[in-house]
Amino acid sequence: MKRFLSIGATAAIAISLLSGCNSNDSIKAASGQSVAQFEQAGVKNMQNDAIFVAEAASADMLYLQLSKEAITRGVSPEVKEMAQQMQEEHEQMLTELQELGSRGNFVLPQTLGNAHKEIYDEVASKEGIAFDLAYIREVRHLHDELLDRYEDMSKNGVSMEVKQYASRQLPLIRQHLEQAEALEKKIQ
């Protein structure tokens, strides 16, 4: 009877987390599923780790999609070159994240989160040099945000695997941020 109540409570938490997302946000859905699984297994305080893993996966998917657009639609050879590098390196980051998810029982979104989808739509709606500028601005802005989030998780993550993953990615994120800042100045 207690086990049934525990499963029922976990299901109620998952439903409330998912229904609390006014929309069908894949990040919130994936992190909610992860938290429910952890709580069902008796693991507490994994909300931040679960959200980070889901956000990181969505961000990597965003970089992959934007970079594909930049490779084919970019005007500047420097933008195309940077997009190729971003595509390769964020694909590797996503692969590592998927492996971490499998080992650590994290659920990863299969589609972009709502905020990332809006960014993609905004950048993809541009043409020519306006596209290049929008792409570079978003790469810089998002890497700036990622840097803060990865630094936080490298120190404050609950899961050792999440902390190690975040720590390993920090040098690459810093490099991407510096490259985007330099290219943004050059193109403007």
Side-chain angles (χ1 to χ4, degrees):
M1 181 69 171
K2 285 183 180 179
R3 184 165 191 249
F4 179 74
L5 290 174
S6 175
I7 293 172
T10 301
I13 291 168
I15 289 169
S16 70
L17 284 171
L18 294 176
S19 64
C21 321
N22 296 334
S23 57
N24 188 20
D25 187 39
S26 65
I27 293 172
K28 290 179 182 177
S31 61
Q33 290 172 344
S34 293
V35 169
Q37 287 177 184
F38 287 124
E39 289 184 355
Q40 187 173 13
V43 180
K44 304 285 184 208
N45 301 319
M46 292 297 287
Q47 293 86 353
N48 198 30
D49 286 31
I51 291 169
F52 169 76
V53 169
E55 287 173 343
S58 180
D60 286 334
M61 289 188 288
L62 173 61
Y63 284 118
L64 292 174
Q65 291 178 21
L66 282 178
S67 294
K68 285 179 187 175
E69 291 289 328
I71 290 166
T72 58
R73 296 178 47 210
V75 175
S76 164
E78 294 94 339
V79 167
K80 289 181 177 226
E81 184 180 323
M82 177 182 225
Q84 184 67 45
Q85 179 185 356
M86 292 288 164
Q87 184 178 26
E88 292 167 6
E89 292 172 349
H90 279 279
E91 183 139 13
Q92 184 169 348
M93 287 175 71
L94 182 58
T95 298
E96 284 185 46
L97 199 54
Q98 290 166 334
E99 291 168 1
L100 181 150
S102 293
R103 284 189 315 271
N105 294 318
F106 288 95
V107 176
L108 275 65
Q110 299 303 304
T111 59
L112 295 177
N114 290 347
H116 290 146
K117 174 79 170 102
E118 287 177 19
I119 292 167
Y120 174 82
D121 290 344
E122 175 64 26
V123 174
S125 72
K126 309 279 189 219
E127 296 291 333
I129 194 69
F131 172 86
D132 285 10
L133 289 170
Y135 172 75
I136 291 300
R137 258 188 229 114
E138 284 305 328
V139 167
R140 182 200 38 80
H141 175 74
L142 290 169
H143 276 89
D144 193 36
E145 289 178 354
L146 280 179
L147 184 60
D148 291 341
R149 188 73 167 118
Y150 274 68
E151 284 175 341
D152 176 60
M153 290 308 295
S154 71
K155 297 173 189 158
N156 301 314
V158 173
S159 163
M160 186 54 69
E161 283 187 302
V162 169
K163 289 174 82 164
Q164 291 172 344
Y165 170 80
S167 293
R168 277 193 316 273
Q169 303 310 322
L170 281 171
L172 184 60
I173 293 170
R174 282 187 188 102
Q175 176 189 350
H176 286 178
L177 178 59
E178 290 168 5
Q179 288 174 317
E181 288 171 341
L183 188 52
E184 185 178 33
K185 286 178 186 174
K186 182 177 181 180
I187 289 181
Q188 288 180 356

